[in-house]
Amino acid sequence: MRFWLNVFNASVYKSAVHPDSLQQFFRHTLTEVLTYNPLLKVSDAIHMQKEWSFTRTCSLLTTLYRKLFVAFSAKESIWQLQQVLETHEVNWQHVLSCVSTLVICQAEAEQLFKDLLSHLLIKAFENYDMENMITAFLIARQAALEGPAVFMPYSEWFKASFGNAGGHHGSSKKALVFLFEFLSELVPFEAAPYLKVHIMYPPFVPAKHRSILLEYITLAKTRLADLKVAIEDMGLYEDLSSTDESVQPQGQAIRDVEKALQIFENTRKIPTSVIEASIFRRPYYTSWFLPALLRPRVLPKTPDVRMTFIESLKRADKIPANLYSTYIQACCAMKEKMRQDESKAETSHSKEPVEQLEADLAALRMLIVDQAKYDDVPAQIAVISDRLKSVLGHSSDENEAATLNSPIQVDTSAPRLEPCHRSVVDLLLTSFCQNLIAASYFNPPDRQGPCLSLFVKMMCGHKNLLPALLGRLCQLIYHQGPSLNDAHILGLAAFVIHLNESRALIPEVEANFGISQPVPEKVLSISEYCNSLLVCRTEESFAFCMRFCTAAASYLMCKFPACSHEDLCALLPPSLVKKLQYIVPRLCLEARGILCEEGNTDLIWSSLSCPSLNYKRASLCLWKQARFQELLKEKAFQLSFREWLLLELEVYPEKDILSASERQEFHYWAIYQRYLPAPSASGGCDGDLEKACGVIINTILDSSQRLELGSRGQSKMSVNPDILCKLQEMVLELRCRRKLLSGCMDAQRHFLFEILQERLKDRKDGSALGEQLRRQQELLLHRRILVGLPASALIMTRRKGKKTVLDCEDFFCFVNSELKNVCSRGYALSYDITAHFFRGLLNASLDCEESAEGVNGVLTACQTKCPIVLFSAVLWWPRLEPVVCSHWKRLFGAPLAEELERLREWQSSATSFLSSGGVFPLSGPPWILAAFLHCTVQQQSPRGRERNALKRLGTDKEQLLVSLLFFSLMDLISAKIAPKEGVDFQTSLEWCLEILQCLEDRSMSWPLLFHSAEKDSRKYCVLRSAASDRHIRLLPVAFYSLTPCFHHELLTREQTFLYVALDLYIQLLRLFVEGRHLPQSDQAVQSPDPGEHGDPLEVISTARRFLLGAIPRCPAQSFGNVRPLLATCEELDPELGAALLRFSRPDAAMELDEELLLF
């Protein structure tokens, strides 16, 4: 019989028979085959067409079809098929097997069949012709049986054809009725998967005709019930694009369990679909899902994802207690009986199908190396695809991927693969690499045909294989890349190119970095995912990336040498070209010039496949190609300055492939010769140095915030020293340029703080803890960059009349609005930024005609515009003084500026006052004097003299004492929120109480310190403006820590006290309600008494008890101030609000006086 088929070898006839005659003979033969013995009915075709797929059809018949198709183009073949269908009674088995052969063996067949189906539907609805309808449905289903690699799934075709108002059925009610009459006639013969598609993705129906749809759904559900398939038993994540009838509810439930475990592993939350199923789909949940989840097994010692998920469901009352108990007992029994049997059974389970797959892959290799047998490759790939289904079938009950459009989850930090899936993926990847090398031995890529492309496309059609495939690529490229040999690299590079070619078949990828992330994982395309695996950080990874990217780009250009520029751009991943733009000039000096030499494409491939491989030479050869240089002119392929910086900031300098001097030379070329002069349209800076500085600063901050694969999600807090050095040079150059443009100085704004403020504009300080932490992290990075820049960059100079003056307005504004919120002490900046500011102040004063006058002017302005700078200087003065004095001496060699000398004198006076009983100076702002006194007290050890020092302060020191109380309260709060800063809570509390007692003994007014609304508090606004926002929010906690010193006389002496106390209590309640309550310190955790160190609830209870006791004792005048707070108080604490209302009435006050006389 096979010998007889040689009659249809077109090559036999050659010139002996005219081509038209040969085509006529082949056309007649095809017609005879398609119409032979037309006994099968349409109903038989509907029921049996699954058995007529390419791999299940007799090989003699498929071989005959393929030989006949040689005489025609794909378009002519399908036209002939259409003619036969329209004019003859046909053998449906032969027709549908012909359809399968066409979509498998003809690459253009997919689109041509789509066009044919559209034509059939138009004719069907024009004439309401059932024959055209059934023909369209049979062809669509048959083509879909061959898999998504060659034709769209049936569910997708049905949705596209009827799922919207623009479908053929939407033109009239008659058309709608026609469609549903047709679908209803199919119901008695339909298989369950097709009925499920029609129910889950029903045709679009206007609301007024909804009854027609409901009638069909009822009929379809009845048919499903007859088939013993309940729609209620549909899985939570069932893939309706599959027409596999073998998946019973048990198998689908196991798939659902695996998908739910996958989601739970990534989110640590019970999937919404599972919760909904436990409520709305109870029969499926209890009958199928839970039994699949609670299959007995040997439980691991450390709870795995399944155990954790089961425990979460149990805590949520989603698992009945008796079912859970039975599960645990069964697991224990299995541990005793089957400890080792499971692994042995698993390894032998799929041995035979894998061996068959190996044989099929070996047969494919024999076809690929023989150019004369390329026509047989599509058929062999179809056989491999069918074999792959049987191999994966043994593990599909254990692991099934998500539905067609669901992102693929990949744990990139530690990819985990099932042993059976890994062996299959390795087998396929090895086969691809061997096929590529073997084919390249005989022919260059452009003469190898579409074999490898079809092979990869077939792999992408198996959705349950993709997670393992992408995970294995991560293992090979990211984790093991530098250790791969040349053949592996070449094969994987070509595989990635074909993977990108088939990107339409691959869902998006969610890369899981293995830890909880502050932001959701980014969904990546397949090309972006592959690019994320190619990192350039060390000498080994640079060499690997260069080899891989060169191989990939060269293979693509050799594979498609004749394709147009536009087609080449569509095929080549932009990230690959950008990576080459980064690596090649970095490692090859020759690539840093303008190169555009036309080279031989074959020479690239020969250099890649040469045994003595030299990738630098190959990379340069590729770089010099005119076609490659043309690609670099396309905007999508241009590596911008920001992208270059992001790549450079990933490099580990100590492990770099370049030496320090080579890296410095490369940075100079890249920044000053490549990107600074380049136009912004090509990713450059238009020659604008300020713009370049802005890009560097923003990129450094973005890079530090990014999650890195190698750091397992830990943000990088260090700044690359080489890039920072270049930034310092550029900032200094900008400063020098501004000096030359002295006439324009008045119009200049400080670009540095403008950049930082702009970044923070969108990061509002909301109540969400995560957002607060991210904002704090951003500010810490801002501070690190400021300290890394030249100190004088913090301060600008401008002309005022004939003088040059120092301008710190932008720095003051940034400190007051942002930087003060990342200091733990609450009232002082960190030492590094404080010392940096003072160094910058002295350096910048060199530009002034009178340097001392310039310094004095800035420090005087600090008293009102930015007092936290002075408080910082006070706190760090023991460390700061020698630095400032020596710096001044080096620059000027003259006596210190007056304001600096005054700071020294105040520090000396505070020390003398505490140690020897000297007189404390009266001159100077009281809050600065108080800061010196407070910091000196904190620095002295052993303590004990401060109590006597307070007594020696005169009675006219009210503002000083109140300011001293403020600094003590800041330390008290700091002891709570940052106990590791060296501030002891109990010591700070005792010091606060001593100061408060001193104020009370002298009847001094202090509550206004806490009162931000009254005008009288303006004398303390300097203190409040210097405190961090968090410390100000926590002032209510500090206030109610002082209740032991709140005496009855205070209630009558201070008429605003009740208002202040009530206002702070309301703030305290809001803090707790908003989730900003005070965290417990280490001491609080260790203390047996939770209230000893201010447990949040205990603080609120203490405040409430105090107010309920104080309200009856307050004079009537006090209640007049609290009326604005009554409504809020009644809302948050009704009992306290009622007490306020009761005692605010005069008659209530009289009753109280009478009651008090009884005691």
Side-chain angles (χ1 to χ4, degrees):
M1 183 66 75
R2 289 190 178 276
F3 177 78
W4 173 80
L5 285 176
N6 289 331
V7 173
F8 298 98
N9 282 344
S11 59
V12 172
Y13 302 97
K14 296 184 180 178
S15 59
V17 178
H18 193 276
D20 292 342
S21 300
L22 186 65
Q23 280 194 352
Q24 186 177 358
F25 171 56
F26 277 22
R27 189 177 295 114
H28 170 75
T29 304
L30 180 60
T31 303
E32 288 298 314
V33 172
L34 295 179
T35 59
Y36 174 75
N37 198 15
L39 298 179
L40 292 172
K41 299 178 182 178
V42 168
S43 59
D44 298 324
I46 295 171
H47 185 67
M48 299 173 62
Q49 71 177 125
K50 184 180 176 183
E51 302 302 320
W52 303 336
S53 66
F54 180 82
T55 55
R56 298 187 183 186
T57 299
C58 173
S59 61
L60 289 174
L61 184 57
T62 56
T63 303
L64 174 61
Y65 286 143
R66 287 160 52 202
K67 289 181 179 294
L68 293 174
F69 294 154
V70 170
F72 309 105
S73 67
K75 187 174 183 179
E76 290 172 333
S77 299
I78 292 176
W79 180 85
Q80 180 63 25
L81 175 65
Q82 181 181 349
Q83 292 299 308
V84 172
L85 287 169
E86 290 178 352
T87 58
H88 294 77
E89 284 288 326
V90 296
N91 182 320
W92 280 110
Q93 181 178 2
H94 291 180
V95 167
L96 296 179
S97 60
C98 178
V99 169
S100 286
T101 305
L102 274 169
V103 295
I104 287 292
C105 299
Q106 299 282 1
E108 316 95 280
E110 180 178 12
Q111 186 56 50
L112 292 171
F113 269 120
K114 288 180 181 178
D115 296 339
L116 173 60
L117 291 172
S118 179
H119 170 74
L120 290 171
L121 289 178
I122 291 172
K123 288 186 65 177
F125 280 95
E126 279 180 353
N127 305 314
Y128 301 105
D129 181 3
M130 288 288 186
E131 287 190 10
N132 280 310
M133 281 290 282
I134 192 61
T135 302
F137 272 70
L138 286 173
I139 291 176
R141 292 180 181 184
Q142 191 67 30
L145 283 174
E146 303 304 330
V150 294
F151 196 81
M152 65 196 304
Y154 175 72
S155 59
E156 296 295 313
W157 175 80
F158 190 79
K159 282 191 293 184
S161 301
F162 307 108
N164 56 73
H168 302 290
H169 66 296
S171 59
S172 65
K173 181 182 178 181
K174 186 176 180 180
L176 189 67
V177 171
F178 169 70
L179 172 63
F180 279 103
E181 282 182 354
F182 168 74
L183 293 177
S184 298
E185 289 185 14
L186 292 184
V187 167
F189 315 104
E190 288 278 44
Y194 296 117
L195 290 171
K196 288 181 180 180
V197 168
H198 298 167
I199 294 172
M200 299 305 292
Y201 305 121
F204 173 82
V205 175
K208 59 183 178 180
H209 301 314
R210 195 75 177 166
S211 60
I212 301 175
L213 171 63
L214 295 177
E215 185 178 344
Y216 169 76
I217 290 177
T218 302
L219 183 64
K221 285 186 176 180
T222 304
R223 168 64 177 166
L224 285 173
D226 294 341
L227 295 172
K228 294 183 172 54
V229 177
I231 196 71
E232 292 78 10
D233 289 341
M234 283 185 61
L236 308 183
Y237 309 102
E238 185 165 340
D239 185 358
L240 295 177
S241 65
S242 170
T243 56
D244 189 358
E245 295 182 75
S246 64
V247 181
Q248 297 299 318
Q250 299 96 322
Q252 183 59 47
I254 293 172
R255 299 179 182 185
D256 289 341
V257 167
E258 295 301 327
K259 177 60 180 174
L261 289 173
Q262 200 175 56
I263 296 172
F264 178 78
E265 183 178 13
N266 291 318
T267 64
R268 289 295 164 185
K269 294 179 181 179
I270 300 174
T272 306
S273 55
V274 175
I275 295 174
E276 290 175 349
S278 69
I279 300 171
F280 303 111
R281 299 185 59 194
R282 191 74 180 170
Y284 174 79
Y285 180 77
T286 56
S287 301
W288 301 112
F289 184 81
L290 284 182
L293 175 65
L294 301 177
R295 287 180 301 161
R297 64 183 183 126
V298 178
L299 298 177
K301 292 182 180 179
T302 303
D304 59 3
V305 176
R306 183 182 288 263
M307 289 179 66
T308 309
F309 181 54
I310 291 171
E311 290 299 324
S312 298
L313 287 175
K314 182 175 177 290
R315 286 194 299 271
D317 293 329
K318 298 299 180 184
I319 300 179
N322 59 338
L323 189 61
Y324 179 79
S325 177
T326 304
Y327 165 69
I328 296 297
Q329 291 173 7
C331 290
C332 293
M334 182 171 285
K335 185 178 181 181
E336 295 296 328
K337 296 179 181 179
M338 302 167 61
R339 182 168 295 178
Q340 298 178 354
D341 294 348
E342 190 177 29
S343 60
K344 293 179 181 178
E346 188 179 58
T347 54
S348 63
H349 196 51
S350 58
K351 183 177 180 181
E352 185 179 350
V354 170
E355 289 179 348
Q356 294 173 346
L357 178 62
E358 289 178 354
D360 293 333
L361 290 170
L364 176 66
R365 192 175 311 121
M366 300 306 296
L367 299 176
I368 286 180
V369 297
D370 188 349
Q371 198 168 7
K373 297 180 179 178
Y374 279 179
D375 291 341
D376 297 331
V377 168
Q380 184 61 24
I381 288 177
V383 172
I384 293 170
S385 178
D386 189 64
R387 191 77 66 201
L388 201 54
K389 290 179 183 177
S390 63
V391 172
L392 297 175
H394 291 283
S395 59
S396 65
D397 284 349
E398 299 295 331
N399 265 318
E400 184 71 19
T403 51
L404 189 65
N405 297 319
S406 300
I408 299 173
Q409 308 282 340
V410 181
D411 185 356
T412 49
S413 58
R416 294 186 296 274
L417 282 75
E418 292 291 333
C420 55
H421 275 191
R422 174 171 173 170
S423 63
V424 172
V425 170
D426 282 348
L427 195 59
L428 294 169
L429 289 176
T430 301
S431 175
F432 178 90
C433 294
Q434 290 174 345
N435 291 339
L436 173 67
I437 299 300
S440 299
Y441 184 81
F442 297 99
N443 294 299
D446 59 316
R447 295 204 293 270
Q448 291 173 11
C451 310
L452 296 176
S453 179
L454 290 174
F455 183 79
V456 175
K457 196 174 183 182
M458 177 273 296
M459 291 176 63
C460 295
H462 291 272
K463 302 303 177 185
N464 54 342
L465 185 68
L466 287 177
L469 174 62
L470 298 186
R472 187 62 177 141
L473 286 177
C474 179
Q475 290 179 340
L476 292 170
I477 297 174
Y478 177 73
H479 294 280
Q480 303 169 24
S483 63
L484 298 178
N485 62 34
D486 296 334
H488 287 149
I489 293 174
L490 193 60
L492 285 174
F495 185 82
V496 166
I497 290 297
H498 286 300
L499 208 59
N500 183 67
E501 186 185 8
S502 302
R503 58 189 178 274
L505 296 172
I506 306 173
E508 293 178 312
V509 184
E510 276 188 6
N512 173 25
F513 291 87
I515 64 164
S516 299
Q517 300 181 71
V519 292
E521 297 100 335
K522 182 182 178 183
V523 178
L524 307 172
S525 66
I526 184 60
S527 61
E528 291 171 334
Y529 170 72
C530 292
N531 180 60
S532 71
L533 304 180
L534 292 166
V535 294
C536 302
R537 292 173 180 156
T538 64
E539 181 177 356
E540 295 80 10
S541 61
F542 264 109
F544 167 71
C545 280
M546 186 175 191
R547 294 160 66 195
F548 189 96
C549 295
T550 300
S554 300
Y555 173 77
L556 179 67
M557 297 182 73
C558 292
K559 181 73 175 175
F560 306 103
C563 75
S564 66
H565 179 74
E566 292 74 19
D567 292 339
L568 191 65
C569 291
L571 288 168
L572 192 58
S575 55
L576 195 72
V577 180
K578 291 181 179 182
K579 197 82 77 175
L580 280 169
Q581 286 182 78
Y582 170 67
I583 298 174
V584 177
R586 199 177 198 275
L587 304 188
C588 303
L589 287 172
E590 300 95 320
R592 297 180 192 176
I594 300 176
L595 298 172
C596 187
E597 300 177 17
E598 181 61 55
N600 190 329
T601 304
D602 287 338
L603 180 62
I604 300 177
W605 189 247
S606 62
S607 67
L608 287 171
S609 55
C610 179
S612 57
L613 205 56
N614 186 327
Y615 267 87
K616 280 194 178 182
R617 188 179 64 199
S619 299
L620 275 175
C621 187
L622 170 67
W623 186 263
K624 295 175 182 179
Q625 291 290 309
R627 293 184 76 200
F628 187 81
Q629 289 294 318
E630 285 298 315
L631 284 174
L632 300 186
K633 297 177 182 177
E634 296 291 334
K635 187 173 180 62
F637 293 98
Q638 289 171 350
L639 183 72
S640 68
F641 187 31
R642 181 181 182 278
E643 291 169 328
W644 177 86
L645 282 167
L646 284 172
L647 290 168
E648 192 64 30
L649 288 167
E650 288 186 354
V651 178
Y652 300 148
E654 67 279 3
K655 298 180 180 180
D656 192 4
I657 194 170
L658 300 180
S659 66
S661 59
E662 290 172 335
R663 187 168 57 250
Q664 186 177 9
E665 182 181 348
F666 171 63
H667 287 174
Y668 183 87
W669 170 82
I671 294 175
Y672 288 103
Q673 292 181 236
R674 181 177 180 181
Y675 285 112
L676 184 57
S680 56
S682 61
C685 302
D686 297 314
D688 188 340
L689 198 61
E690 187 175 300
K691 184 177 181 179
C693 289
V695 173
I696 294 177
I697 291 171
N698 278 310
T699 309
I700 288 175
L701 293 170
D702 290 339
S703 174
S704 300
Q705 294 282 11
R706 286 200 314 171
L707 294 173
E708 301 292 333
L709 270 173
S711 58
R712 288 189 62 82
Q714 302 300 320
S715 294
K716 300 192 299 183
M717 292 298 292
S718 59
V719 179
N720 185 294
D722 299 304
I723 299 298
L724 185 61
C725 181
K726 285 291 177 285
L727 178 61
Q728 291 169 344
E729 293 175 7
M730 297 164 77
V731 169
L732 279 176
E733 184 179 340
L734 271 176
R735 181 173 175 79
C736 294
R737 187 178 299 176
R738 286 201 172 102
K739 288 182 183 179
L740 295 175
L741 302 174
S742 57
C744 303
M745 280 189 178
D746 291 335
Q748 292 288 348
R749 77 279 185 273
H750 204 305
F751 82 98
L752 178 61
F753 295 111
E754 191 176 71
I755 293 170
L756 300 182
Q757 291 279 19
E758 187 65 28
R759 285 184 62 87
L760 292 166
K761 186 180 295 182
D762 297 330
R763 288 184 176 271
K764 300 300 180 184
D765 191 12
S767 58
L769 180 59
E771 182 56 37
Q772 290 181 39
L773 292 175
R774 284 193 290 275
R775 188 183 181 87
Q776 284 189 9
Q777 183 188 47
E778 176 90 2
L779 283 170
L780 289 172
L781 289 166
H782 289 192
R783 189 180 73 189
R784 190 180 294 269
I785 285 182
L786 290 175
V787 172
L789 294 177
S792 56
L794 302 180
I795 300 166
M796 295 184 67
T797 56
R798 58 185 177 85
R799 298 293 296 178
K800 188 176 182 180
K802 296 182 178 181
K803 289 187 176 182
T804 301
V805 296
L806 303 180
D807 183 1
C808 301
E809 291 296 326
D810 292 314
F811 177 73
F812 288 167
C813 179
F814 186 69
V815 169
N816 288 330
S817 61
E818 306 296 346
L819 212 53
K820 71 175 184 180
N821 292 317
V822 286
C823 54
S824 58
R825 296 296 285 267
Y827 59 87
L829 304 174
S830 60
Y831 173 76
D832 55 358
I833 192 67
T834 304
H836 203 59
F837 169 75
F838 274 89
R839 283 194 296 268
L841 177 62
L842 301 190
N843 290 340
S845 68
L846 287 169
D847 297 333
C848 300
E849 291 77 6
E850 295 291 336
S851 298
E853 184 179 339
V855 171
N856 291 336
V858 170
L859 294 180
T860 301
C862 282
Q863 295 183 17
T864 55
K865 295 183 177 180
C866 195
I868 191 173
V869 169
L870 292 178
F871 292 157
S872 305
V874 172
L875 177 64
W876 304 113
W877 191 252
R879 292 173 60 185
L880 187 63
E881 180 185 8
V883 173
V884 171
C885 292
S886 62
H887 200 72
W888 179 273
K889 187 175 181 180
R890 285 198 308 274
L891 292 177
F892 306 108
L896 276 178
E898 182 181 350
E899 291 298 321
L900 291 174
E901 184 62 39
R902 190 172 297 172
L903 292 175
R904 292 181 67 183
E905 292 173 357
W906 286 335
Q907 169 64 27
S908 177
S909 299
T911 304
S912 175
F913 176 71
L914 287 174
S915 59
S916 59
V919 178
F920 199 64
L922 297 177
S923 60
W927 39 269
I928 295 183
L929 300 177
F932 271 113
L933 185 59
H934 172 75
C935 293
T936 306
V937 167
Q938 302 304 312
Q939 293 157 9
Q940 286 194 352
S941 181
R943 302 180 53 141
R945 300 172 183 170
E946 60 269 13
R947 187 178 294 105
N948 294 327
L950 289 175
K951 294 179 180 178
R952 287 190 284 110
L953 286 172
T955 56
D956 56 344
K957 298 293 194 304
E958 178 180 321
Q959 283 197 44
L960 189 147
L961 277 171
V962 174
S963 300
L964 194 60
L965 176 63
F966 173 82
F967 292 117
S968 304
L969 291 171
M970 293 295 102
D971 275 355
L972 182 68
I973 295 171
S974 297
K976 298 294 296 180
I977 60 179
K980 296 180 181 179
E981 292 292 325
V983 182
D984 180 69
F985 176 83
Q986 194 59 40
T987 304
S988 298
L989 180 59
E990 292 171 359
W991 178 229
C992 289
L993 293 174
E994 287 178 10
I995 298 172
L996 186 59
Q997 187 61 51
C998 182
L999 286 166
E1000 285 295 299
D1001 292 344
R1002 303 182 186 194
S1003 299
M1004 292 180 174
S1005 179
W1006 56 268
L1008 287 178
L1009 178 64
F1010 298 89
H1011 194 349
S1012 59
E1014 287 291 334
K1015 294 180 180 179
D1016 292 341
S1017 65
R1018 285 182 178 176
K1019 57 185 176 183
Y1020 299 125
C1021 69
V1022 170
L1023 296 172
R1024 296 177 67 93
S1025 68
S1028 75
D1029 294 343
R1030 190 180 184 192
H1031 279 72
I1032 291 296
R1033 282 198 300 267
L1034 293 175
L1035 268 179
V1037 180
F1039 177 85
Y1040 280 107
S1041 299
L1042 306 179
T1043 51
C1045 276
F1046 292 170
H1047 302 304
H1048 295 166
E1049 295 81 3
L1050 181 62
L1051 304 177
T1052 56
R1053 187 182 76 244
E1054 297 286 347
Q1055 291 187 7
T1056 61
F1057 179 81
L1058 179 61
Y1059 178 90
V1060 170
L1062 192 59
D1063 185 34
L1064 293 173
Y1065 176 68
I1066 291 172
Q1067 293 180 38
L1068 192 64
L1069 290 177
R1070 283 176 173 162
L1071 280 176
F1072 188 78
V1073 169
E1074 293 172 5
R1076 296 181 176 181
H1077 58 272
L1078 186 67
Q1080 295 188 33
S1081 65
D1082 295 339
Q1083 297 96 324
V1085 175
Q1086 299 167 2
S1087 173
D1089 179 10
E1092 181 180 347
H1093 294 289
D1095 175 76
L1097 289 175
E1098 185 62 28
V1099 172
I1100 292 174
S1101 299
T1102 300
R1104 192 169 187 274
R1105 286 195 301 269
F1106 170 76
L1107 284 172
L1108 288 173
I1111 287 172
R1113 293 176 173 81
C1114 288
Q1117 297 87 337
S1118 299
F1119 292 98
N1121 299 325
V1122 301
R1123 287 194 181 94
L1125 302 176
L1126 276 176
T1128 307
C1129 190
E1130 288 177 330
E1131 178 186 352
L1132 296 174
D1133 191 336
E1135 183 181 352
L1136 191 64
L1140 281 171
L1141 282 173
R1142 177 188 173 195
F1143 290 103
S1144 62
R1145 297 195 305 269
D1147 54 342
M1150 292 178 60
E1151 292 174 9
L1152 176 63
D1153 291 338
E1154 294 174 0
E1155 290 175 4
L1156 293 175
L1157 292 174
L1158 298 175
F1159 294 94

